[in-house]
Amino acid sequence: MTQGRWLNEQEQRMWRSFQGMWRNLDRAVERDLMDGAALSAADFAVLVALSEAPNRRLRARDLGRCLDWDRSRLSHQIRRMEQRELLIRSSCPTDARGTFIKLTNHGWELVQQAAPGHVQAVRANFFDVLTDADVAALEDISRRVNDRIESLNLDHNPCAKAAATP
Amino acid sequence: MTQGRWLNEQEQRMWRSFQGMWRNLDRAVERDLMDGAALSAADFAVLVALSEAPNRRLRARDLGRCLDWDRSRLSHQIRRMEQRELLIRSSCPTDARGTFIKLTNHGWELVQQAAPGHVQAVRANFFDVLTDADVAALEDISRRVNDRIESLNLDHNPCAKAAATP
């Protein structure tokens, strides 16, 4: 690699500031979820993925794929959420392909209650300082970067794009 | 909260795609570090922070503050890196304010070896699909969002902005 391939000054500045932004956003949004609904970001991601699925249930395998979590992380998370009665595990009598995870009514109510505060946090920490042009630019940039990473990694999971928040 | 405060369709699309981008980038950059230099993102962040400090050393407290890690995470990470002889802990005879963490020559060599591959990964997965205008836009947006989050959280740590990569 030649010296010319290093980041220039503006690229370095942007890369650090951009990484700071995503750490700051993660932390701010998680803190608001925890304060407002006693949910971790992981809890919330599971609740949202299930709440958007038909009949509010998904195969464990598909849930793991959507969240892009490995089996051990998923099973640990599911066990704790089942203890809190946010979801239940069940097997389908007509389908031998593994366990279903289904949102309970309590889980559904909780995600409904948490969502407005979450959206408000995302607005306050992020969208409130963006113009319409910024939103369009970020959508375009994100799409290009995601396409690029997907093309570099054929094992990349496109489902992960669509499994986080309202 | 009224319905009007929900994200509109474009904002939702952008938010999901943007979150996908940052997860994908995290994963891609960490995988390249691991493949290229057997370093985790956490290892690399510590090595870079120390390599940029005067005399390649920092107080443990300052290192934790720069990385925005709690004491337990930092001390666990430091212990493992000391076992791998990437850094050493020492106390300063003229200064009672805690332990210093210093990069070893081995740690310094490793971060020097890892940096080109890391930059190449950041380029391939991110900068290669950005125009100069995108870089300028992302720098400006990141700064505004970081300022916003900082103003909302007076305990926010500005040092975290500048502690990741070359």
Side-chain angles (χ1 to χ4, degrees):
Chain A
M1 169 174 292
T2 63
Q3 193 62 19
R5 295 286 294 163
W6 285 90
L7 301 184
N8 68 35
E9 226 169 277
Q10 187 184 24
E11 287 170 335
Q12 274 187 51
R13 233 175 24 235
M14 184 276 266
W15 178 238
R16 293 190 175 210
S17 185
F18 179 71
Q19 288 183 296
M21 170 170 70
W22 94 52
R23 278 197 303 275
N24 287 335
L25 269 175
D26 253 349
R27 200 162 40 230
V29 167
E30 171 133 25
R31 191 185 42 228
D32 279 308
L33 269 175
M34 194 47 82
D35 290 350
L39 292 172
S40 69
D43 295 336
F44 191 67
V46 169
L47 293 177
V48 169
L50 292 175
S51 73
E52 294 179 345
N55 300 314
R56 299 179 197 157
R57 68 174 198 178
L58 283 170
R59 283 202 183 81
R61 195 177 43 186
D62 295 334
L63 179 61
R65 212 172 281 152
C66 279
L67 299 169
D68 201 21
W69 291 355
D70 63 35
R71 195 184 294 201
S72 143
R73 179 177 181 192
L74 182 70
S75 109
H76 189 57
Q77 177 74 28
I78 293 299
R79 197 166 46 244
R80 284 179 303 170
M81 291 180 74
E82 194 173 28
Q83 283 162 3
R84 293 157 67 197
E85 299 182 356
L86 298 172
L87 50 79
I88 49 169
R89 283 180 285 193
S90 65
S91 52
C92 176
T94 61
D95 185 341
R97 286 175 294 169
T99 310
F100 277 101
I101 313 295
K102 186 170 170 31
L103 208 56
T104 59
N105 286 336
H106 175 50
W108 171 250
E109 280 158 19
L110 203 59
V111 72
Q112 297 300 107
Q113 282 165 24
H118 175 69
V119 174
Q120 196 168 38
V122 171
R123 277 217 172 283
N125 289 285
F126 187 56
F127 283 98
D128 279 357
V129 297
L130 301 183
T131 64
D132 290 349
D134 293 332
V135 172
L138 281 177
E139 187 185 2
D140 180 51
I141 289 170
S142 301
R143 186 186 44 73
R144 274 183 280 136
V145 173
N146 286 328
D147 288 350
R148 170 67 165 186
I149 294 177
E150 191 167 0
S151 78
L152 291 176
N153 308 288
L154 295 180
D155 62 338
H156 170 73
N157 168 21
C159 179
K161 285 181 202 170
T165 50
Chain B
M1 170 172 292
T2 63
Q3 193 61 20
R5 294 287 294 163
W6 286 90
L7 302 184
N8 68 34
E9 226 169 276
Q10 187 185 24
E11 288 169 334
Q12 274 187 49
R13 237 180 14 241
M14 183 276 264
W15 178 238
R16 293 191 175 210
S17 186
F18 178 71
Q19 288 184 295
M21 170 171 70
W22 94 52
R23 279 198 302 276
N24 287 335
L25 269 175
D26 254 349
R27 199 162 42 228
V29 167
E30 170 132 27
R31 191 186 40 229
D32 279 308
L33 269 175
M34 194 46 82
D35 291 350
L39 292 172
S40 69
D43 295 336
F44 191 67
V46 170
L47 293 177
V48 169
L50 292 174
S51 73
E52 293 179 346
N55 300 315
R56 300 179 198 158
R57 68 174 197 177
L58 283 170
R59 284 204 183 78
R61 195 177 44 186
D62 295 334
L63 179 60
R65 212 172 282 151
C66 279
L67 298 169
D68 201 21
W69 290 356
D70 63 35
R71 193 183 295 200
S72 144
R73 180 178 180 191
L74 181 70
S75 110
H76 189 58
Q77 176 73 29
I78 292 300
R79 196 167 47 245
R80 284 179 305 169
M81 291 180 75
E82 193 173 29
Q83 282 161 5
R84 292 157 66 199
E85 299 181 356
L86 298 172
L87 49 80
I88 48 169
R89 284 180 285 192
S90 65
S91 52
C92 175
T94 62
D95 185 340
R97 288 175 294 168
T99 310
F100 277 100
I101 314 294
K102 186 170 169 34
L103 207 56
T104 60
N105 286 336
H106 176 51
W108 171 251
E109 280 158 20
L110 203 59
V111 72
Q112 297 299 107
Q113 282 165 24
H118 175 69
V119 174
Q120 195 168 38
V122 171
R123 277 218 172 281
N125 289 285
F126 188 57
F127 284 98
D128 279 357
V129 297
L130 301 183
T131 64
D132 289 349
D134 292 332
V135 172
L138 281 176
E139 187 185 3
D140 180 51
I141 289 170
S142 300
R143 186 187 45 73
R144 274 184 280 136
V145 173
N146 286 328
D147 288 349
R148 171 66 166 186
I149 294 177
E150 191 168 0
S151 78
L152 291 175
N153 308 288
L154 295 179
D155 61 338
H156 170 74
N157 167 22
C159 179
K161 284 182 202 170
T165 50

